[in-house]
Amino acid sequence: MPAHLTNPNAHQCPYCGVSKATPAGIKSHIRQTPQCQEELEKRTKSTPLPSAPPVYHTPSPPQANPLDFEDDNTSVSFCDPLRTAYHPLPLTKSVPEAQDSGERQRKRARIEEVEDEEAGGLPRRPFVDYSARDAVRIIGRGEHLFERIHNERKAAGLRPDQNPWAPFKDKAEWELGQWALIHRVGQEAWNNYLKLQVTRERTQPSYRTNRDFQKQAAQLPMGAEWECEVFVTEGDVVDEATGRRKRETFELWKRNPVECIRELISNPLFSDNIRYAPERLFEDQEGTKPIVNEMWTAEWWETVQKRVPSGAAVAPIILASDKTQLSNFSGDKSAWPPLIKAGLEGVDMTCADGFIRTIYPILAAYIADHPEQCLVACVKENFCPKCAVNPLDRGRGPAVYSELFRDAKKTLELLKDAAAGRTSTRIKELGLRPILPFWSDLPHADIFTCITPDLLHQLHKGMFKDHVSKWATACTAGTGKEIDRRYIAMPAHPDLRHFQKGVSLVSQWTGREYKNMEAVFLGAIAGAAPQDVVLAVRGLLDFIYYARFESHTLDSLTCLDRAWRRFHAHKNAFIRFYVDKDKMPTNWANFSGIPKLHAMDHYLRAIQLLGSADGYNTEATERLHIDFAKQGYRAGNRKDYIRHMTTWLNRQEAVYRFQSYLQWLRPELPTTTTSLSTSTLPLSSHSTALSETDPSLPSAPSSENQKTRPGAATDNLEVDEEESVGSLYSIAKKPPLANVKAKDVAKTFGATDFSHASRSVVDAVPPIILSPDTRVSVYKQFKLTLPQISQVSKHAEKDTIKAVPEVIKSLNGFELDSSPGLFSTVLAKRQATRGTNNLTVGRVRAIFRAPDQWLPLVPHPLAYIEWFTPLNAYDNALGMYSVKPSMHNHYRAVSIIPITDITRSCHLVPHWGKSMDRTWNQSNVHEKCERFYVNPYLRLSDFVLFRYVSQK
């Protein structure tokens, strides 16, 4: 979005002469124009083919534009072998084209509309290399999961064609049973419910007791069975009574992993999301600019595919663990023989598309936090689980490169020698634990390349919350109290949590809190922290946001690497400016005692190998672990709880499996919520649109105990059923505040020039003006559908724009509490520049529908906007645009525009100065502060537009 000016006629189509601003626009035009595409194919056929096909997976690094960080002079290339060390290549500065006037281009927020190109710069339809798909052989036709379930139910006499809900009587009885299983209705409560008169006489289920119900539920299609294996371990503590070492018995509950894979790969609901061969994506038709997102677009799959027999398909396995002891149980390795055999010989499986293929399950990724990573890698925790770097060199960053990942074969040889009693100095040098690991016999598995980045523990909680945020706070004037005051006074946004008491008193932190603190931290320390501290913090935050991308290119990986280098270039500022030297950590010499800092070194290569790091975040697996473990434990009787947990999990999966089967069998039936499909899945960090019962908004008045400021309507501010206008916006069908006088809107919502601003809405002679007594219908919010950005999500993002006045809660005339107003700041087309691509920051003070006589000229709802200055000023240290309230003849510049001219919401961070004005608070900071920064860290999409695209 923010970008340098471009020449709209810089490039022309060689076939029809159409002009586009960029080469990507020309390629998109050719791809979507049949005549040009046909002409391209004709010319391609007449061109002699090269003697060898291009090597798509090892393109030369592209020339990148210089960024504003002058010390960054590296670019990123995609490496081919798994064992290759990452060595950054020198960045070649691109030479700008000659300009007519020779004047330097100014930074200005512009949108260059290129058809078939997303707002984040990626093509909507990337070029795909399908060559590997043809190498996978189809053996024949088989039954996928639901076809097999259907035929088994027929064979059992359940007649699913007549009653698809069997063994339940009908749909209503199935939904009742589904509800009981999902919500853990206890045996006593369920029996009491079934004995109720209303249940016996009206509902009349076919089951009379909980036991009858459980018998019916047991007939639902089940998956792989759970098995229990008992292990006895001998410790190093001697029993005084017997003189022998104490022993402890453990239970290992397991499933056949091959059967789990067989069920997943044969589920037709996953058909559109499964790939049976690697598929490389590219920005360009020449295959020189790869795109990496899912695992099948990365290097690992392509390399391993060449190691399995011709015609076979690889099924990458992703494992995750939390506080497990797999390594200690691996001596018997009884859990792994099916997986070892399948990885060596392959297994014929019916896939989701109904075709049979030979599948080789191969361990590809292992998701865990640092202690678990070290455990499975057989490495001591003060060493790196991925590389053999000296522990004293882990914090040096660009000064030291790990020559290679740890070598799995050589490491395994050392561990086997240690198990046989043959010691070696290399064991100590490499920080190995003499344990024979579970992965020793897994074919084609390299545990050191399998270990994935951990965004939650390494970045959000580790480097940011536990380290950098504390260091930066200790380097600011006023330290923690000043930072708390700024968080308390920070302007509100629907997607941000407001830390009402600051951040120092928060006792329980989750991934959501970390991200909300990150979103405004750089703006919170601006002015109070030295510039080098600001640059170090910016480097870390940029690294975190780039690491969260769901799709990567050479450009984004180069930016990731530069952000990492920026942090290391300025990290010593934390030592120089630390306020209390006596409290400095002891490992500050070279930051070597922080394993999570060194883990950042491996992110870039891990993304190249396995795909985007966001797909391996421990936040998702921990959420599932917490839900399944806690819910399963609570569902049992606390005795023999592991067995009860497996039974509970089996039933939860059976409910999900049967509901999915019904969805396949009867697609016309509405789907119902099941626990495994929705409720236990973690919410995306991007799904942040507020619900209609958000407690931060004023609720409906119950009687006289709540009132708004004088002149405000006393009707409730709840959002009724919404209507959507195409893909533009959605707004309440019935406005919460109907027939409000214009003068009351001006007074209640702070739209002081409401009537006068109405003359700018339509071009009419004489101009149409809202008189003070003209009545309008007022809304509290509307929602925009933001353009899809592949770096952020595969789905469109919802954006809520609000204009809600302050609400005062009172009782018997006494004011009890008040909820601050929320007036969204947005990016919109200002009237003076409407019809161009210029965007300006504005603050929405009121959202309303024009009077009936205006509707032919103004069909869409309108917004009263207070404008800020154009996006011209740029702070290089913060990497943020700076704006001020826009004035016209000594008055605030305002206008009324259609809400279709609003592009998205944004967030403004006040320019605090060295010390914040103590009179500022969340309610008045927009009025009292004279300068703001446009926050690029609000959401990942804002970061893509304001930081990533602007740097390209």
Side-chain angles (χ1 to χ4, degrees):
M1 195 175 80
H4 294 296
L5 299 174
T6 55
N7 183 356
N9 299 314
H11 304 276
Q12 286 188 334
C13 173
Y15 311 123
C16 68
V18 169
S19 297
K20 295 292 179 183
T22 63
I26 290 296
K27 292 175 182 177
S28 300
H29 159 75
I30 295 175
R31 190 164 46 191
Q32 293 191 347
T33 307
Q35 295 84 353
C36 297
Q37 182 70 24
E38 183 179 353
E39 186 64 27
L40 173 64
E41 292 176 358
K42 288 180 181 180
R43 297 192 185 185
T44 303
K45 291 179 181 178
S46 63
T47 303
L49 294 175
S51 57
V55 183
Y56 284 137
H57 55 277
T58 55
S60 301
Q63 292 184 347
N65 292 328
L67 304 184
D68 58 339
F69 182 40
E70 62 277 6
D71 294 336
D72 292 329
N73 58 359
T74 60
S75 66
V76 173
S77 65
F78 276 69
C79 306
D80 193 19
L82 287 178
R83 313 296 315 168
T84 303
Y86 163 60
H87 293 282
L89 301 178
L91 172 67
T92 304
K93 302 276 186 174
S94 61
V95 180
E97 298 180 2
Q99 301 175 13
D100 295 337
S101 62
E103 64 179 3
R104 187 175 65 88
Q105 298 175 353
R106 294 191 305 172
K107 292 191 177 216
R108 180 81 177 240
R110 297 178 65 87
I111 292 181
E112 177 193 350
E113 303 212 330
V114 179
E115 54 185 62
D116 203 34
E117 185 174 304
E118 296 178 353
L122 291 178
R124 298 186 189 279
R125 295 186 298 172
F127 293 91
V128 186
D129 178 9
Y130 293 111
S131 58
R133 179 188 294 182
D134 300 332
V136 177
R137 184 174 62 253
I138 294 177
I139 299 176
R141 185 71 169 83
E143 294 179 346
H144 61 59
L145 175 64
F146 296 154
E147 290 173 338
R148 177 175 58 81
I149 291 175
H150 191 68
N151 293 332
E152 289 175 353
R153 288 164 59 77
K154 279 185 176 181
L158 293 177
R159 293 184 285 185
D161 295 329
Q162 299 180 18
N163 179 19
W165 299 279
F168 296 94
K169 181 175 59 177
D170 51 26
K171 180 186 176 187
E173 188 172 291
W174 153 244
E175 290 182 346
L176 177 62
Q178 180 186 25
W179 169 82
L181 289 171
I182 290 175
H183 295 284
R184 309 188 310 274
V185 179
Q187 176 178 339
E188 182 178 357
W190 188 235
N191 280 327
N192 291 337
Y193 170 79
L194 294 174
K195 292 177 182 179
L196 294 175
Q197 183 177 356
V198 66
T199 306
R200 288 185 285 103
E201 296 181 358
R202 296 186 183 180
T203 309
Q204 296 182 344
S206 58
Y207 38 81
R208 298 299 180 90
T209 64
N210 178 68
R211 185 170 183 177
D212 295 339
F213 169 70
Q214 296 298 340
K215 287 181 179 179
Q216 290 193 12
Q219 298 181 53
L220 294 174
M222 296 291 179
E225 295 183 359
W226 288 92
E227 302 174 7
C228 179
E229 188 168 354
V230 178
F231 292 85
V232 178
T233 61
E234 187 177 83
D236 55 0
V237 178
V238 178
D239 191 331
E240 296 180 357
T242 62
R244 298 177 181 178
R245 292 184 178 182
K246 292 184 178 181
R247 294 185 175 186
E248 189 172 358
T249 302
F250 295 93
E251 292 182 354
L252 174 63
W253 286 84
K254 61 185 181 180
R255 281 170 157 172
N256 187 327
V258 176
E259 293 305 313
C260 295
I261 295 169
R262 188 189 302 276
E263 177 174 337
L264 290 172
I265 206 170
S266 67
N267 191 328
L269 294 184
F270 302 150
S271 180
D272 294 337
N273 304 104
I274 293 180
R275 300 294 186 273
Y276 305 101
E279 296 178 1
R280 302 304 297 269
L281 304 182
F282 300 96
E283 294 183 80
D284 60 331
Q285 195 168 6
E286 295 77 20
T288 61
K289 298 180 179 180
I291 300 173
V292 173
N293 42 51
E294 302 290 350
M295 185 185 288
W296 58 73
T297 68
E299 296 176 16
W300 177 91
W301 197 331
E302 186 174 33
T303 303
V304 174
Q305 184 71 44
K306 299 173 183 177
R307 299 177 182 172
V308 300
S310 177
V314 173
I317 300 173
I318 302 175
L319 298 180
S321 65
D322 186 18
K323 300 295 187 294
T324 58
Q325 300 293 328
L326 285 177
S327 296
N328 292 344
F329 292 144
S330 61
D332 185 78
K333 296 191 290 292
S334 59
W336 306 107
L339 195 58
I340 295 172
K341 183 178 179 181
L344 289 171
E345 303 176 4
V347 180
D348 291 345
M349 295 184 182
T350 302
C351 300
D353 57 2
F355 294 108
I356 301 174
R357 297 175 178 85
T358 301
I359 304 297
Y360 279 74
I362 307 296
L363 177 61
Y366 201 105
I367 303 174
D369 58 15
H370 179 73
E372 300 296 315
Q373 291 176 356
C374 293
L375 179 65
V376 299
C378 304
V379 174
K380 297 178 181 178
E381 290 190 17
N382 62 330
F383 282 75
C384 174
K386 291 180 69 71
C387 74
V389 65
N390 189 308
L392 297 179
D393 294 331
R394 287 181 300 171
R396 292 186 180 178
V400 174
Y401 290 100
S402 307
E403 288 299 323
L404 291 173
F405 285 112
R406 292 178 181 269
D407 189 293
K409 291 183 179 180
K410 293 181 179 179
T411 300
L412 196 56
E413 291 175 0
L414 290 172
L415 293 176
K416 288 181 178 179
D417 288 344
R422 297 187 294 271
T423 60
S424 170
T425 57
R426 291 291 291 165
I427 292 282
K428 184 177 181 180
E429 292 173 359
L430 296 175
L432 298 177
R433 295 172 174 173
I435 301 172
L436 193 60
F438 75 92
W439 44 267
S440 59
D441 295 326
L442 293 180
H444 310 297
D446 185 341
I447 193 63
F448 305 117
T449 58
C450 290
I451 293 175
T452 61
D454 181 4
L455 298 180
L456 176 62
H457 295 98
Q458 290 172 350
L459 298 186
H460 298 307
K461 180 182 183 298
M463 281 307 300
F464 175 74
K465 178 59 178 65
D466 292 343
H467 297 300
V468 172
S469 67
K470 295 179 180 178
W471 299 343
T473 300
C475 294
T476 59
T479 61
K481 292 183 179 180
E482 175 68 19
I483 300 301
D484 278 342
R485 284 192 288 269
R486 297 184 179 197
Y487 269 94
I488 293 170
M490 190 68 65
H493 187 279
D495 289 349
L496 279 179
R497 170 183 170 175
H498 179 221
F499 294 89
Q500 297 180 352
K501 298 181 180 180
V503 292
S504 62
L505 298 179
V506 178
S507 57
Q508 293 185 342
W509 289 86
T510 65
R512 186 178 180 86
E513 273 74 35
Y514 299 140
K515 293 170 188 174
N516 277 270
M517 185 178 177
E518 290 166 356
V520 296
F521 187 74
L522 188 62
I525 66 171
Q531 179 167 312
D532 280 350
V533 171
V534 169
L535 288 171
V537 172
R538 177 186 167 185
L540 176 70
L541 289 176
D542 285 0
F543 185 94
I544 292 174
Y545 276 71
Y546 281 121
R548 289 172 55 192
F549 276 20
E550 294 188 7
S551 285
H552 278 283
T553 63
L554 292 173
D555 289 334
S556 65
L557 290 177
T558 298
C559 291
L560 176 78
D561 183 63
R562 290 178 177 179
W564 173 73
R565 290 171 170 274
R566 182 193 298 274
F567 173 78
H568 280 286
H570 297 280
K571 68 177 184 291
N572 286 328
F574 296 126
I575 300 176
R576 296 199 312 270
F577 298 105
Y578 207 88
V579 174
D580 193 345
K581 302 291 185 181
D582 295 334
K583 294 183 180 180
M584 288 174 58
T586 57
N587 57 0
W588 283 67
N590 59 3
F591 296 86
S592 62
I594 308 173
K596 295 166 185 177
L597 173 59
H598 172 71
M600 296 166 63
D601 296 4
H602 296 298
Y603 271 58
L604 189 147
R605 188 70 188 122
I607 293 171
Q608 292 175 331
L609 286 173
L610 297 173
S612 60
D614 189 68
Y616 307 102
N617 193 355
T618 54
E619 190 172 0
T621 57
E622 284 199 0
R623 182 72 260 163
L624 295 174
H625 173 81
I626 291 172
D627 286 345
F628 291 150
K630 287 187 176 180
Q631 292 183 21
Y633 178 78
R634 292 167 182 166
N637 58 5
R638 276 66 167 177
K639 298 178 182 178
D640 196 14
Y641 60 89
I642 297 182
R643 185 182 302 275
H644 283 291
M645 288 167 65
T646 59
T647 301
W648 174 85
L649 185 58
N650 258 340
R651 289 173 180 169
Q652 295 295 306
E653 290 178 343
V655 170
Y656 170 73
R657 187 179 297 107
F658 190 61
Q659 180 59 40
S660 301
Y661 160 75
L662 292 176
Q663 184 179 341
W664 167 80
L665 184 65
R666 296 285 185 89
E668 72 278 3
L669 296 176
T671 58
T672 55
T673 300
T674 58
S675 61
L676 292 180
S677 61
T678 54
S679 64
T680 59
L681 294 181
L683 291 177
S684 167
S685 60
H686 316 307
S687 303
T688 51
L690 288 178
S691 66
E692 307 308 337
T693 58
D694 182 11
S696 67
L697 296 178
S699 57
S702 57
S703 57
E704 64 170 354
N705 61 344
Q706 181 171 313
K707 63 181 180 179
T708 58
R709 290 298 185 192
T714 56
D715 196 3
N716 70 67
L717 293 175
E718 299 281 337
V719 171
D720 296 324
E721 184 181 358
E722 293 182 344
E723 60 176 347
S724 297
V725 181
S727 60
L728 299 177
Y729 62 86
S730 59
I731 197 166
K733 288 184 176 180
K734 296 181 180 179
L737 306 174
N739 297 320
V740 182
K741 291 183 179 181
K743 62 182 180 182
D744 292 334
V745 174
K747 186 175 182 180
T748 303
F749 290 82
T752 55
D753 205 13
F754 189 69
S755 296
H756 185 267
S758 62
R759 67 174 63 235
S760 63
V761 179
V762 295
D763 296 326
V765 180
I768 302 176
I769 302 177
L770 285 172
S771 68
D773 292 326
T774 303
R775 294 183 179 272
V776 296
S777 297
V778 181
Y779 302 86
K780 79 164 187 180
Q781 69 177 30
F782 67 94
K783 296 180 181 179
L784 297 173
T785 301
L786 301 181
Q788 178 185 342
I789 299 177
S790 294
Q791 293 95 332
V792 178
S793 175
K794 296 178 181 178
H795 309 288
E797 188 178 8
K798 291 292 185 180
D799 193 5
T800 304
I801 313 298
K802 294 179 176 289
V804 181
E806 182 182 16
V807 175
I808 301 174
K809 297 179 181 179
S810 61
L811 179 64
N812 298 327
F814 293 96
E815 182 175 328
L816 299 178
D817 191 14
S818 64
S819 298
L822 179 55
F823 300 98
S824 294
T825 47
V826 298
L827 285 175
K829 298 177 182 178
R830 195 167 177 176
Q831 182 188 19
T833 58
R834 196 179 302 165
T836 73
N837 291 323
N838 290 315
L839 294 177
T840 307
V841 177
R843 190 179 184 209
V844 178
R845 298 298 305 222
I847 306 166
F848 64 99
R849 177 81 68 176
D852 293 341
Q853 62 268 26
W854 285 24
L855 292 183
L857 296 174
V858 189
H860 298 290
L862 303 170
Y864 177 93
I865 305 285
E866 295 176 342
W867 294 109
F868 291 82
T869 53
L871 297 175
N872 292 331
Y874 189 80
D875 188 299
N876 287 312
L878 294 173
M880 298 183 187
Y881 287 93
S882 177
V883 297
K884 299 178 181 179
S886 180
M887 309 301 290
H888 180 68
N889 292 333
H890 304 288
Y891 290 95
R892 187 67 183 270
V894 299
S895 62
I896 294 176
I897 64 172
I899 64 173
T900 52
D901 280 355
I902 296 176
T903 303
R904 62 189 296 119
S905 70
C906 64
H907 184 242
L908 298 184
V909 176
H911 182 272
W912 311 99
K914 192 171 184 66
S915 178
M916 190 193 85
D917 186 334
R918 302 293 181 87
T919 65
W920 292 0
N921 57 51
Q922 191 184 61
S923 299
N924 64 23
V925 68
H926 274 115
E927 284 73 26
K928 289 194 171 187
C929 183
E930 297 179 355
R931 181 181 169 194
F932 299 87
Y933 297 111
V934 181
N935 185 7
Y937 300 105
L938 171 64
R939 298 161 295 203
L940 191 57
S941 60
D942 294 81
F943 182 82
V944 171
L945 299 177
F946 280 106
R947 179 59 52 78
Y948 173 57
V949 176
S950 68
Q951 291 184 149
K952 290 181 64 177

